[in-house]
């Protein structure tokens, strides 16, 4: 097998059909059940509200716990916006990204972690499951460091939506062969191929104030602002 066919960590470059999919409508049952709630202990979440903001219903959620092995690290080098909605949306966008990679580490395409942070049947749902499945099918996990930076948040055009953009650097993150534990070469010859500009559309739950879920994800490989 040619190891250079290994998809990028996010496979944003190979998921063209997904990326061209419209955000779609909200599932009528999206807020009736919280996937993963009560299935694991809560931990401090990236979406915790700024100290000056009054607690919301989202602060009381039993969020899935995500612990990564020592040989893989995912970092988010940014500050939260002062706007409470923007800060909460960015926090849960961060959790969604973490949850995809947690699903890869756990080799579980049905991981409760990412399902906690997506609208069911959305493009973001399909994307997360497909990414994890690709790694499971290939017998790969993750190692190294995946770095995210330069996050920006703005109000979306649709009701209760926020658009999160950020840069991702995959130059120090690699696939890992599950059986051997060795690094898998999945990169190309162009160093810019490891940099992405990522866009996430987040929508707030109708029934839980401050709880944001991913609707769609898009990305541009080698974007000038992220290289």
């Amino acid at each position: 097998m040619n190891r250079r066919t290994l998809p990028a960590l996010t496979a944003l470059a190979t998921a063209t059909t997904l990326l061209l999919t419209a955000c779609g409508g909200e599932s009528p049952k999206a807020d009736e059940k919280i996937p993963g709630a009560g299935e694991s202990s809560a931990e401090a979440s990236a979406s915790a509200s700024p100290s000056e903001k009054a607690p919301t219903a989202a602060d009381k959620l039993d969020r899935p716990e995500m612990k990564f092995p020592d040989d893989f690290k995912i970092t988010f080098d940014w500050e939260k916006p002062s706007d409470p909605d923007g800060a909460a949306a960015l926090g849960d966008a961060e959790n969604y990204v973490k949850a995809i990679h947690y699903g890869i580490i756990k080799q579980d395409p049905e991981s409760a972690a990412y399902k906690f942070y997506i609208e069911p049947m959305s493009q973001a749902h399909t994307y997360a499951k497909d990414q994890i499945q690709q790694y499971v099918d290939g017998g790969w996990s993750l190692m190294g460091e995946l770095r995210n930076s330069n996050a920006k948040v703005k109000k979306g055009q649709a009701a209760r939506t926020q658009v999160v953009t950020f840069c991702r650097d995959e130059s120090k993150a690699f696939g890992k062969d599950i059986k051997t534990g060795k690094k898998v070469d999945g990169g190309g010859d162009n160093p810019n191929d490891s940099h992405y500009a990522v866009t996430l559309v987040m929508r707030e739950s109708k029934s839980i104030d401050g709880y944001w879920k991913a609707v769609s994800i898009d990305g541009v490989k080698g974007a000038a602002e992220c290289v």
Side-chain angles (χ1 to χ4, degrees), residues 147-164:
R147 297 178 292 181
N148 303 277
S149 62
N150 196 29
K152 298 178 181 178
V153 187
K154 66 179 181 180
K155 187 175 181 180
Q157 294 182 349
R160 307 186 342 273
T161 61
Q162 296 278 337
V163 179
V164 176

Side-chain angles (χ1 to χ4, degrees), residues 64-142:
E65 184 177 17
M66 292 182 280
K67 291 184 178 180
F68 292 91
D70 292 340
D71 63 351
F72 179 70
K73 183 179 181 181
I74 182 168
T75 59
F76 299 89
D77 184 17
W78 55 55
E79 295 182 1
K80 293 180 182 178
S82 57
D83 172 64
D85 285 342
L90 178 60
D92 280 338
E94 180 177 318
N95 286 328
Y96 168 73
V97 171
K98 287 175 61 178
I100 294 175
H101 296 84
Y102 182 74
I104 293 173
I105 294 290
K106 291 297 183 180
Q107 297 284 282
D108 183 6
E110 299 294 341
S111 172
Y114 81 78
K115 289 184 178 180
F116 191 95
Y117 295 107
I118 53 89
E119 285 195 352
M121 308 307 294
S122 66
Q123 185 263 354
H125 183 172
T126 302
Y127 175 80
K129 182 176 180 178
D130 285 354
Q131 295 314 292
I132 299 170
Q133 190 66 58
Q134 285 189 60
Y135 278 82
V136 171
D137 292 345
W140 307 311
S141 184
L142 297 169

Side-chain angles (χ1 to χ4, degrees), residues 45-50 53 56 58-59 63 80-95 117 153 162 164 202-204 208-213:
S45 167
S47 63
S49 305
K53 179 174 178 281
T56 66
D59 296 326
R63 295 174 180 270
K80 293 180 182 178
S82 57
D83 172 64
D85 285 342
L90 178 60
D92 280 338
E94 180 177 318
N95 286 328
Y117 295 107
V153 187
Q162 296 278 337
V164 176
M202 306 294 294
R203 180 150 48 208
E204 188 176 23
I208 303 176
D209 182 35
Y211 175 33
W212 293 76
K213 295 178 283 187

